[in-house]
Structure formats: structure tokens, C-alpha cells
Amino acid sequence: MRSGQSSAGGLVRAHGSPDLLEEPIPTLVDYVKTNPYDDPSNPPPSSDVYCAMQWSNATDPDTGLRRYKLGNFNSEDEAGAANYSITHKGHCGSCSTLQDLGVYIRQNLTDSTRNCGKEGVISSKCSTSVFRRSASRSSVSRYGHTTSSTPGTSVFWVCMWSDLRNEPFNKPDGSLNDCLQCDEDNSGPNFKYFSARTRR
């Protein structure tokens, strides 16, 4: 990764804590408290909107950092008219904070997620701890654990076999390896809905 990307990611991550969010906070911008895969009706239909942010003039009294807002808008023009900047397409969700954007800019989470899934066989607490060290945020780490070890055997055993063979992420034709494709097919829809910001 280029040093410029890493520096930009660190800056956004440092200034984008969810603790700096101002009300009203979009409904899905929160920890994923229950396993979305336990409800077969998930994911719900997703509307064609945009998640956008706006810096506040207020600062946090403890850190001196500027606060910010997140909001859902029906179009880029609507967000612009409200002086908001688009941060990603789709509704705001668990991984829509600026801190999470910084995590995505700084690093590729594929290896961390795979390690998380393996640790999750032993303990969900252990798995979450591994992911938190990489992502440095509870919402990302909890959701990372959920998707890395769920929906269970279908993804887990395919990925364990892939990991044992040390398969590259992509096949020679450029398509995803069997593990990542299985995860995309089985975990992808819920991940995209509840996390909102994603590289998928």
C-alpha cells in the first residue's frame, strides 16, 4: 500500500470516531447486536440512496476534534444541496463512520477476516479480539466475526480447505477463489446491507 494511502487512512480514522457523531444518527449506524443470519428474512429490501457526511462546527470538549453528521439522501444532488458530501452509495450502516473509512483505506481486511473465522471455532470472544486488533472498532470487529464464521459449515469448510492449500485470493482467470466466492454468495447480501460501506 502506498504511504499516502496509509497516511490518509490514519488521518480519517483518527478524526472519524463514532463518538464524534452528532444526532440524528441513521438507524443502522450502530453495532450489529444480533446475528443477521439467524433471521432467514434478512436482508430487508434496500432503497437506492446515498450515505453522506457533513463536518460540524462543534468540537468534542475532551479531544478538540470536530464532530460530524451522517445522513441518508435520495440523490447526490439532494446531499449536495444540504452541504453534505457523499461517502458511499447505499444507506448508512454499521461501517459507515469515517473511522471505518480510514480502516478500509489503510489495509486489506481479507487476511484478518479469515484468521477471525478460524479463531471463532475456539471462541467468539477470541475471534472478535483478533478482528478488533486489525479494525480497531467494535462494530467492524463484531460484524467481521459474524460474517467470517457464519452461515457456518458451508463457508467455513470451503475456506479452511482453501487456507490449508494457501490459495491466492484470485484464480488465474481473475475470478475469486472458491472460499471468497462462497463467502460472497452466502455472507455477502447481509454483509452489504448491515455494514453498508464495503469493498464488495
Side-chain angles (χ1 to χ4, degrees):
M1 177 177 291
R2 291 182 298 233
S3 59
Q5 271 185 298
S6 181
S7 299
L11 181 66
V12 174
R13 184 171 160 184
H15 290 260
S17 167
D19 296 330
L20 297 172
L21 277 170
E22 288 194 339
E23 297 285 351
I25 299 173
T27 306
L28 292 173
V29 181
D30 196 1
Y31 299 130
V32 179
K33 297 182 177 72
T34 59
N35 189 336
Y37 300 95
D38 290 341
D39 183 350
S41 68
N42 282 328
S46 183
S47 53
D48 189 20
V49 296
Y50 294 85
C51 180
M53 63 80 56
Q54 180 189 69
W55 289 111
S56 169
N57 290 324
T59 57
D60 180 77
D62 296 325
T63 63
L65 298 175
R66 286 180 70 180
R67 303 182 69 85
Y68 68 100
K69 299 176 182 179
L70 289 176
N72 294 314
F73 294 89
N74 292 318
S75 68
E76 295 179 72
D77 289 341
E78 183 181 77
N83 293 318
Y84 275 68
S85 299
I86 301 294
T87 178
H88 64 79
K89 195 171 191 301
H91 59 260
C92 300
S94 184
C95 299
S96 292
T97 70
L98 295 184
Q99 187 177 71
D100 295 321
L101 173 60
V103 169
Y104 276 123
I105 291 172
R106 280 173 60 104
Q107 65 202 92
N108 185 328
L109 297 176
T110 304
D111 285 328
S112 301
T113 306
R114 291 172 86 175
N115 291 334
C116 236
K118 288 184 285 187
E119 296 281 356
V121 175
I122 302 168
S123 160
S124 63
K125 183 178 179 181
C126 183
S127 168
T128 302
S129 174
V130 170
F131 208 96
R132 185 175 291 136
R133 288 198 298 271
S134 299
S136 189
R137 182 171 187 269
S138 293
S139 66
V140 176
S141 62
R142 288 184 193 179
Y143 201 83
H145 159 66
T146 298
T147 58
S148 65
S149 57
T150 312
T153 55
S154 60
V155 174
F156 177 78
W157 291 113
V158 171
C159 289
M160 280 297 290
W161 180 240
S162 173
D163 195 48
L164 287 171
R165 293 187 296 170
N166 198 29
E167 288 184 334
F169 295 151
N170 296 92
K171 295 180 178 179
D173 64 0
S175 61
L176 297 175
N177 69 28
D178 291 344
C179 168
L180 294 181
Q181 188 60 60
C182 183
D183 178 65
E184 177 69 18
D185 295 340
N186 290 278
S187 299
N190 273 332
F191 182 82
K192 291 174 187 176
Y193 182 84
F194 289 97
S195 69
R197 174 179 283 116
T198 171
R199 283 180 170 168
R200 292 178 186 265

